[in-house]
Amino acid sequence: QGYPYRAGNLFLGLDAKGREIGVSTDRHAITIAGSRSGKGACLLIPNALRWPHNLLVVDPKGEVAAASWEAREALGQAVHVLDPFKVADVPDRLRASLNPLAAIDPQSLTAREDIQVIADGLVKRSDPKHEEWYAGAVGLLAGLMAYAVETAPHELRSFAGVRALLLQPSQDLYATAQHMLGCTAFGGLAREAGVMLMTACESEKAMEKDFLGTARRATSWMDSPTVADVLASSSFNLADLKSGAVSVFLVLPPQYLDTHGAFLRLFVRAAMSGMMQDGAKVNRRCLFLLDEFAALGRLDVVAKGMGLMAGYGLHLWPFLQDLGQLRDLYRENVAETFFGNADVATF
């Protein structure tokens, strides 16, 4: 009786008498539920149908998008479905594409940080013991993206171009690295990466060689033609989650979560950064329904800033198979912050 569902609440289900229950919150929620436990039908879809503000959904099977796109449009929202393998049963007009590099403005005060956010989104972290290699790979990717944006024509600023640079043979990669030393935009991101690449090319035993290998492995999923198509151009802007009326669905079949999980991570990480810009001004609230949360790898922005996100209108609702997934990614002490910052925990 203390928690009747009202419009704008998080919907939690029905009580023993069949009454709808929910909770009003400015913070977060978390759900622990094994596979085939009904979390889609009981929580993900009902909230996608009812949530009146902006929405971002990690929707592996496309079922939430299929069930809720009409309701989202009825709310006056633009619906964008990033679905490279076209598994969601939605009209083709809703299928979207997004090239985050195209939105980078070299003159922006946050351009360096924007590129670093994208690079961080590309490197899926799964083992805290390898943090040095992850950080090195992020640095290399950030530098190559800065180089592409600074030197390439606007239409060639893409992940395909960055991937092509990464896969050059050593002699060509060394020549590219030398050119990068002369780049000055974005606070010298390209110059820093150029030094690392030259070291990697000069010595087989250099740590930078491992950074290069990690960066190549972290972006191998981009070679899929269907994924490349979705990343080639932009039909919308993630910044609309903060300033517009938008629902975004990220669809990736479960069988590809291990190999292509960075596709989801990239957009979730960039969307979080976009919501947390412009000080604490809340233009729009946005609920992130994050099914298969473990597939995103560790997101340091979540571990360090979960308590601050509510001030930006950002509400997280991660869904995990079990508590072990959370502890493996974020360690025991950080895992506890998820529950400490959530007004709802469902099992």
Side-chain angles (χ1 to χ4, degrees):
Q1 289 181 335
Y3 298 93
Y5 174 78
R6 296 184 177 91
N9 286 9
L10 298 182
F11 176 77
L12 301 180
L14 307 177
D15 69 8
K17 295 184 179 180
R19 295 172 297 195
E20 294 185 346
I21 60 173
V23 64
S24 174
T25 178
D26 290 326
R27 300 203 303 164
H28 312 291
I30 186 169
T31 293
I32 310 296
S35 60
R36 304 189 64 81
S37 59
K39 61 182 180 293
C42 296
L43 292 175
L44 289 163
I45 291 174
N47 279 283
L49 290 169
R50 297 159 185 257
W51 179 253
H53 310 290
N54 288 349
L55 184 69
L56 182 142
V57 186
V58 171
D59 184 16
K61 298 179 182 178
E63 294 174 340
V64 182
S68 65
W69 70 266
E70 291 178 290
R72 303 308 302 172
E73 286 195 331
L75 290 170
Q77 297 209 336
V79 176
H80 306 291
V81 183
L82 290 162
D83 180 15
F85 297 97
K86 294 182 169 57
V87 299
D89 184 12
V90 298
D92 285 342
R93 64 180 176 82
L94 302 182
R95 300 192 188 279
S97 60
L98 188 64
N99 173 15
L101 294 184
I104 299 296
D105 178 7
Q107 305 305 316
S108 169
L109 295 177
T110 63
R112 176 186 172 92
E113 288 70 24
D114 294 340
I115 287 181
Q116 289 175 318
V117 164
I118 295 171
D120 181 65
L122 292 173
V123 179
K124 182 180 174 183
R125 290 162 163 82
S126 56
D127 189 344
K129 297 177 183 177
H130 298 157
E131 183 55 40
E132 190 171 9
W133 280 264
Y134 297 142
V138 168
L140 275 181
L141 289 170
L144 286 168
M145 286 188 288
Y147 176 67
V149 173
E150 184 175 355
T151 64
H154 191 275
E155 64 273 13
L156 296 180
R157 299 176 190 174
S158 67
F159 288 132
V162 173
R163 179 72 176 156
L165 290 173
L166 265 179
L167 295 181
Q168 294 177 107
S170 293
Q171 185 174 352
D172 294 337
L173 189 61
Y174 191 86
T176 297
Q178 289 179 307
H179 290 144
M180 291 169 71
L181 296 182
C183 294
T184 58
F186 309 108
L189 277 178
R191 186 168 58 245
E192 295 172 18
V195 173
M196 286 194 285
L197 285 173
M198 291 178 69
T199 304
C201 293
E202 290 169 344
S203 173
E204 287 294 327
K205 297 182 179 180
M207 184 181 298
E208 286 78 3
K209 196 80 172 180
D210 294 325
F211 298 164
L212 177 59
T214 301
R216 284 171 169 167
R217 289 190 296 272
T219 54
S220 62
W221 55 275
M222 293 181 181
D223 294 336
S224 167
T226 55
V227 172
D229 285 345
V230 171
L231 298 174
S233 60
S234 296
S235 59
F236 74 103
N237 195 325
L238 279 177
D240 295 341
L241 287 169
K242 187 174 180 69
S243 59
V246 176
S247 296
V248 177
F249 297 86
L250 306 174
V251 181
L252 185 69
Q255 63 266 33
Y256 300 135
L257 289 175
D258 285 342
T259 55
H260 293 54
F263 171 81
L264 303 175
R265 175 188 170 91
L266 167 65
F267 295 117
V268 170
R269 178 68 181 88
M272 286 181 180
S273 177
M275 288 294 299
M276 296 177 71
Q277 288 182 354
D278 303 325
K281 183 180 179 181
V282 178
N283 296 328
R284 295 274 184 169
R285 293 170 63 190
C286 188
L287 175 64
F288 285 52
L289 291 173
L290 304 176
D291 195 10
E292 298 294 349
F293 183 66
L296 304 179
R298 193 179 77 254
L299 289 161
D300 286 339
V301 66
V302 175
K304 297 174 182 177
M306 196 172 188
L308 303 174
M309 290 180 178
Y312 299 93
L314 172 54
H315 310 279
L316 300 184
W317 193 341
F319 290 72
L320 297 109
Q321 298 276 344
D322 53 64
L323 284 170
Q325 287 186 330
L326 188 63
R327 291 170 178 150
D328 287 346
L329 284 174
Y330 290 94
R331 299 184 296 275
E332 186 72 32
N333 59 328
V334 179
E336 291 299 321
T337 68
F338 279 77
F339 289 93
N341 286 285
D343 284 337
V344 176
T346 66
F347 299 84

